[in-house]
Amino acid sequence: QVQLVESGGGLVQPGGSLRLSCAASGIIFSINAMGWYRQAPGKERELVATITSRGSRNYADSVKGRFTISRDNAKNTVYLQMNSLKPEDTAVYYCKLVVNEYNYWGQGTQVTVSS
């Protein structure tokens, strides 16, 4: 069994920064792609950023230049550094990891950008 634990969400003012973390634990043989998604109230879940096992990154247009995804393979952890946050970034953020060729989702962490 594999568990994902997210952390780092919270309330921040516009222009501020947050760093999200998602750590996997359990019986892990391999972790391929890692990614972050978000879901705002009344909207569908959308991709924010992904990173492959080789370090290739992909970002949604709305976050390019502001968000950075990274991974620490030794810690089975993926991060999302979010800078220059905007009110429209408010959402529940979910990590998704492909562990042992299966998709696992984190429990979600709330990010609220408001003055």
Side-chain angles (χ1 to χ4, degrees), residues 34-94:
M34 296 177 162
W36 289 95
Y37 296 72
R38 67 186 181 187
Q39 187 166 18
K43 295 187 177 181
E44 294 186 354
R45 190 172 298 187
E46 64 176 1
L47 180 147
V48 176
T50 60
I51 184 169
T52 69
S53 58
R54 295 187 177 184
S56 178
R57 296 170 171 84
N58 181 54
Y59 296 95
D61 288 342
S62 59
V63 307
K64 283 181 181 177
R66 301 188 297 120
F67 291 10
T68 301
I69 189 171
S70 60
R71 60 190 288 167
D72 185 332
N73 293 328
K75 296 181 178 180
N76 296 327
T77 299
V78 61
Y79 304 95
L80 185 68
Q81 178 66 43
M82 304 185 294
N83 299 328
S84 302
L85 283 160
K86 303 176 181 179
E88 51 263 43
D89 295 318
T90 295
V92 178
Y93 284 70
Y94 299 90

